[in-house]
Amino acid sequence: MKLHVSVGRQRMQVLDDEGNLLREYPVSTALAGVGELSGSYRTPRGSHIIRAKIGAGLPENTVFVRRRPTGEIWTPELGEQYPGRDWILTRILWLSGCLPGFNRLGCVDTMRRYIYIHGSPDHAEMGTPGSHGCIRMRNTDIVELFDLVPCYSPVEIAED
């Protein structure tokens, strides 16, 4: 199984080992565009793997900070209390780059940049860039994806 993220189309495809399309989801990548440099708030390109899966069995809208559940469940009221917070909800698929010098190691390391595929508040717009570098999904979609893909699945992030 492989994931293909198209930054240009703001879509993620789930492909089987023969390349057949199994699922397709709208996503939201970085508002600042693509790029690999630490601190750029851009979505890194190239070959990655899912290094870790976090949040199995937790309720939808579970709030994460530093990959740990805070005990909060996101609601519109909680969102109003913290209007500038970058919400990481429901599940986390933590990405690791596979290309040394491009998206792995040094100042371009995807994993050390804490780039995830994760859930978002229901009002977060999908199909248009808006994240701080991560790949945002609807909560129902990230739950389905989380259960579908194993750790170490390849993830290709392309500008197409």
Side-chain angles (χ1 to χ4, degrees):
M1 193 158 318
K2 177 180 181 177
L3 304 181
H4 178 84
V5 177
S6 169
V7 173
R9 295 186 316 113
Q10 295 292 293
R11 305 287 292 180
M12 176 191 299
Q13 295 180 328
V14 181
L15 307 168
D16 68 14
D17 293 335
E18 287 75 43
N20 298 309
L21 181 65
L22 300 175
R23 306 270 194 296
E24 188 169 30
Y25 303 104
V27 298
S28 177
T29 61
L31 183 60
V34 294
E36 293 67 43
L37 194 60
S38 182
S40 68
Y41 298 101
R42 297 173 183 264
T43 299
R45 295 163 293 181
S47 298
H48 296 81
I49 60 167
I50 297 170
R51 180 57 60 99
K53 294 172 60 173
I54 301 165
L58 293 173
E60 277 191 35
N61 289 307
T62 293
V63 177
F64 291 90
V65 173
R66 295 182 185 94
R67 297 157 309 284
R68 290 182 173 52
T70 65
E72 300 165 299
I73 299 294
W74 186 90
T75 63
E77 295 76 28
L78 185 63
E80 287 175 19
Q81 282 183 318
Y82 303 99
R85 196 163 166 185
D86 183 25
W87 297 100
I88 297 172
L89 305 179
T90 306
R91 302 286 187 276
I92 296 171
L93 300 174
W94 192 357
L95 300 182
S96 179
C98 297
L99 305 169
F102 183 73
N103 62 19
R104 185 166 183 225
L105 305 173
C107 62
V108 293
D109 195 278
T110 295
M111 191 166 184
R112 289 185 188 145
R113 288 182 59 203
Y114 305 105
I115 300 295
Y116 316 132
I117 301 170
H118 66 80
S120 300
D122 293 336
H123 70 274
E125 191 173 350
M126 296 298 136
T128 186
S131 82
H132 295 138
C134 290
I135 298 163
R136 294 178 180 169
M137 296 183 75
R138 292 188 180 112
N139 290 306
T140 54
D141 292 345
I142 190 66
V143 168
E144 181 179 86
L145 181 66
F146 187 94
D147 293 340
L148 192 63
V149 297
C151 268
Y152 306 107
S153 293
V155 179
E156 186 69 28
I157 303 173
E159 292 185 68
D160 65 347

